[in-house]
Amino acid sequence: MEGEVISRNFIEQEIDKDLKEGKYTKVVTRFPPEPNGYLHIGHAKSILLNYGLAKQYGGTFNFRFDDTNPTKEKTEFVNSITEDIKWLGADFGDKVFFASDYFDQMYEGAIKLIKKGKAYVCDLTAEEIREYRGDFNTPGKNSPYRDRSVEENLALFEAMKNGEFPDGSKVLRAKIDMASGNINMRDPVIYRIARMTHHNTGDKWCIYPMYDFAHPIEDAIEGITHSICTLEFEDHRPLYEWVVNELEYENPPRQIEFAKLYLKDVVTGKRYIKKLVEDGVVDGWDDPRLVSLSALRRRGFTPESIKMFMELSGVAKAHSTSDYAMLEYCLREDLKLKANRMMAVLDPIKLIIDNYPEGQVEYFDIDNNQDVPEAGTRKVAFSRELYIEREDFMEEPPKKYFRLFPGNEVRLKGAYFVKCVDYKKDADGNITEIHCTYDPETRSGSGFEGRKVKGTIHWVSAESAIDAEVRLYENLIDEEKGKLNEDGTLNFNPNSLTILNNCKLEAAFKDAKKGDSFQFLRHGFFCVDIKDTTDDKLVFNRIVSLKSSYKPS
């Protein structure tokens, strides 16, 4: 629309400026995870931001593993991260990039710095390097090995590569400024000796580059134009720029930082999750109570809901915290138009219609989703014996209780009016059966305009009911007491998981497949668990309840 003002976040404004000035002719972004764990909800922001910018500007998006630290990396993490990226819809084409594919160029880059007098081999221990570095109030002091000749440094560095020295005995450091106000510029280590088998390069190397040295080289080799990263790398930007400038790359990439996504009352720290997994408190890194992307996928979250959440959260320079309720709001908004609304009884009690013909089964056409007419209808079986929710009947109801009680009449969703005439109890006083009569004139869709009822309850025909296990989730931590106990351990909520067995579902669920999502009337949105569901056992996870405390601004 002509004259419309389009709001641009600060990153888009910087990219617009670079393109206008001719600094770059094409936008190339990347998402470079280290394969040392599972991605979580915070990573989704970076993935979608980098991919979205490339798509917005008609550019290219690279998916690259920053696999320069073999001590923590596993193929398991490579596989899980790849699946997460695909699930979110970030199209990275046919190629996955690996930082380790550039080890030869990184080694050549280190040689170039040595020849320029910009890098040296240092024999100080890690503890001594920290001591020499100083702090924010004290400038560092030069290493006694800082003035080694170019020839000596070249020979020592080659000997490091050839495995002639023990691990940790020597490092290669950039020669920058030990008095710099930015501690990252005080002759940072750029290579260390580490005899570790690498998942991609095997045992070819016994020296490995440090992240701050490797990352700008990877970006430059791939022609990345805008290296979009989170705020903790802001103090590392001078080193990033120093590396690409000293190695004389043409059109070097530009680093721009944005604020991380923080979510209230969730656990993202790897050490906490690792302990929960190891202690058997949760069912692996994909336990639906976690916010790893694999856990959210298993829980039943949709990529579209996460994208909506990221858009509402926005892109900013300053840290802020988002409410988990906002993420749930986005999920409901997405699912309410996608999920069929079906009947499931989670705490069943038998309801018998005394005056309904024994052995008779009839079918009702019920809307799959009243908000989406094109979703059509399905036929639902109705019989003399049904299941209803235990909470939908009370012997002595309080005022304004409009469901079933002795003498009261309710509508069975999409079927008939029924009136409670009797009930039975076991020896412990638990109600085991409810007996009703039905009025054939009140059939749903018949145009009946007689007496009115205030209550409608859902039901499942006992004749064709499907058994299922249903899992209800609450927050993993106790929100009232805070995330951590005084001793630093996680304040775990013992009620975070409730497992309901012997739930009764309508027959249409027989066609449900792993990962399928549905709305259980009155209960919330649920999906078929992709891990524990078998041919003989249906398992459902509650994705989110129907009620929301969040109101979009």
Side-chain angles (χ1 to χ4, degrees), residues 206-390:
C206 66
I207 57 170
Y208 290 98
M210 303 300 287
Y211 177 87
D212 279 347
F213 177 66
H215 192 80
I217 295 176
E218 299 157 26
D219 284 349
I221 290 173
E222 292 177 11
I224 303 301
T225 57
H226 297 87
S227 182
I228 314 297
C229 56
T230 47
L231 275 178
E232 71 262 35
F233 293 101
E234 186 174 27
D235 290 339
H236 297 250
R237 192 194 325 142
L239 180 53
Y240 183 102
E241 293 171 348
W242 183 90
V243 171
V244 294
N245 289 331
E246 290 295 340
L247 293 180
E248 301 170 35
Y249 287 106
E250 290 185 26
N251 299 318
R254 181 183 172 198
Q255 178 176 305
I256 304 175
E257 307 87 16
F258 68 97
K260 267 185 176 181
L261 172 70
Y262 288 99
L263 204 54
K264 287 181 184 176
D265 301 318
V266 301
V267 181
T268 55
K270 287 177 184 173
R271 68 185 180 99
Y272 295 118
I273 297 176
K274 187 170 183 284
K275 182 162 177 56
L276 290 172
V277 172
E278 290 174 347
D279 292 348
V281 175
V282 296
D283 177 28
W285 287 80
D286 62 351
D287 186 291
R289 289 166 289 181
L290 299 173
V291 291
S292 66
L293 292 183
S294 56
L296 292 174
R297 185 163 71 249
R298 182 180 172 193
R299 174 83 171 252
F301 277 72
T302 63
E304 292 79 12
S305 66
I306 293 176
K307 290 173 188 174
M308 180 182 177
F309 175 63
M310 296 307 167
E311 289 169 2
L312 288 176
S313 299
V315 177
K317 290 184 179 180
H319 285 305
S320 62
T321 303
S322 297
D323 201 324
Y324 190 81
M326 184 168 79
L327 177 58
E328 291 184 320
Y329 164 80
C330 296
L331 187 55
R332 290 186 190 94
E333 287 296 295
D334 187 48
L335 288 176
K336 72 182 183 182
L337 299 178
K338 292 180 176 177
N340 283 351
R341 299 174 184 180
M342 299 172 69
M343 295 194 285
V345 177
L346 305 190
D347 186 12
I349 186 171
K350 184 72 71 71
L351 183 148
I352 301 172
I353 304 173
D354 293 336
N355 64 334
Y356 193 86
E358 289 194 41
Q360 177 174 306
V361 177
E362 62 181 310
Y363 292 88
F364 290 92
D365 290 322
I366 294 182
D367 291 330
N368 285 323
N369 190 327
Q370 289 176 316
D371 292 339
V372 186
E374 57 269 28
T377 62
R378 67 187 183 283
K379 293 192 177 299
V380 178
F382 184 87
S383 58
R384 184 172 187 267
E385 295 190 1
L386 310 172
Y387 291 107
I388 66 169
E389 295 288 354
R390 188 172 296 274

Side-chain angles (χ1 to χ4, degrees), residues 87 286 297-301 471 509-518 526-541 543:
W87 175 67
D286 62 351
R297 185 163 71 249
R298 182 180 172 193
R299 174 83 171 252
F301 277 72
R471 297 169 179 176
F509 281 102
K510 70 180 186 299
D511 298 322
K513 298 179 178 60
K514 291 182 178 183
D516 286 353
S517 296
F518 305 89
F526 292 75
C527 82
V528 184
D529 187 77
I530 59 177
K531 188 172 182 179
D532 293 336
T533 293
T534 65
D535 291 340
D536 302 320
K537 181 181 180 182
L538 263 179
V539 179
F540 283 86
N541 301 319
I543 312 170

Side-chain angles (χ1 to χ4, degrees), residues 318-535:
H319 285 305
S320 62
T321 303
S322 297
D323 201 324
Y324 190 81
M326 184 168 79
L327 177 58
E328 291 184 320
Y329 164 80
C330 296
L331 187 55
R332 290 186 190 94
E333 287 296 295
D334 187 48
L335 288 176
K336 72 182 183 182
L337 299 178
K338 292 180 176 177
N340 283 351
R341 299 174 184 180
M342 299 172 69
M343 295 194 285
V345 177
L346 305 190
D347 186 12
I349 186 171
K350 184 72 71 71
L351 183 148
I352 301 172
I353 304 173
D354 293 336
N355 64 334
Y356 193 86
E358 289 194 41
Q360 177 174 306
V361 177
E362 62 181 310
Y363 292 88
F364 290 92
D365 290 322
I366 294 182
D367 291 330
N368 285 323
N369 190 327
Q370 289 176 316
D371 292 339
V372 186
E374 57 269 28
T377 62
R378 67 187 183 283
K379 293 192 177 299
V380 178
F382 184 87
S383 58
R384 184 172 187 267
E385 295 190 1
L386 310 172
Y387 291 107
I388 66 169
E389 295 288 354
R390 188 172 296 274
E391 66 175 17
D392 284 345
F393 174 81
M394 293 187 74
E395 294 177 80
E396 300 177 4
K399 289 183 179 180
K400 296 186 178 181
Y401 181 85
F402 300 124
R403 284 168 274 177
L404 208 53
F405 56 86
N408 192 44
E409 191 172 40
V410 300
R411 174 174 286 285
L412 296 177
K413 170 74 175 173
Y416 296 105
F417 286 11
V418 293
K419 183 177 183 178
C420 177
V421 296
D422 197 8
Y423 57 91
K424 293 182 179 179
K425 293 183 177 181
D426 62 18
D428 297 323
N430 300 310
I431 295 171
T432 57
E433 284 182 5
I434 301 164
H435 286 261
C436 292
T437 58
Y438 88 114
D439 183 348
E441 300 297 321
T442 61
R443 180 184 170 97
S444 181
S446 66
F448 176 73
E449 295 181 358
R451 61 195 178 279
K452 304 293 183 182
V453 291
K454 292 185 177 180
T456 299
I457 63 175
H458 68 282
W459 50 274
V460 169
S461 171
E463 169 266 338
S464 57
I466 293 174
D467 291 328
E469 176 183 303
V470 173
R471 297 169 179 176
L472 308 179
Y473 299 101
E474 294 181 13
N475 204 312
L476 188 61
I477 60 174
D478 192 322
E479 298 175 43
E480 292 184 3
K481 296 180 181 178
K483 186 177 290 188
L484 300 177
N485 295 310
E486 291 183 2
D487 61 359
T489 58
L490 198 65
N491 188 14
F492 178 69
N493 173 15
N495 301 314
S496 62
L497 170 63
T498 300
I499 297 178
L500 304 176
N501 293 299
N502 198 38
C503 299
K504 304 296 183 180
L505 280 57
E506 63 170 276
F509 281 102
K510 70 180 186 299
D511 298 322
K513 298 179 178 60
K514 291 182 178 183
D516 286 353
S517 296
F518 305 89
Q519 183 186 136
F520 290 3
L521 289 180
R522 292 171 48 201
H523 290 301
F525 294 97
F526 292 75
C527 82
V528 184
D529 187 77
I530 59 177
K531 188 172 182 179
D532 293 336
T533 293
T534 65
D535 291 340

Side-chain angles (χ1 to χ4, degrees), residues 67-93:
D67 55 344
T68 58
N69 185 5
T71 59
K72 297 181 179 179
E73 296 160 2
K74 294 181 181 177
T75 303
E76 171 193 354
F77 299 140
V78 169
N79 294 336
S80 73
I81 291 170
T82 303
E83 286 304 308
D84 290 338
I85 302 281
K86 289 179 179 177
W87 175 67
L88 276 178
D91 183 4
F92 52 83

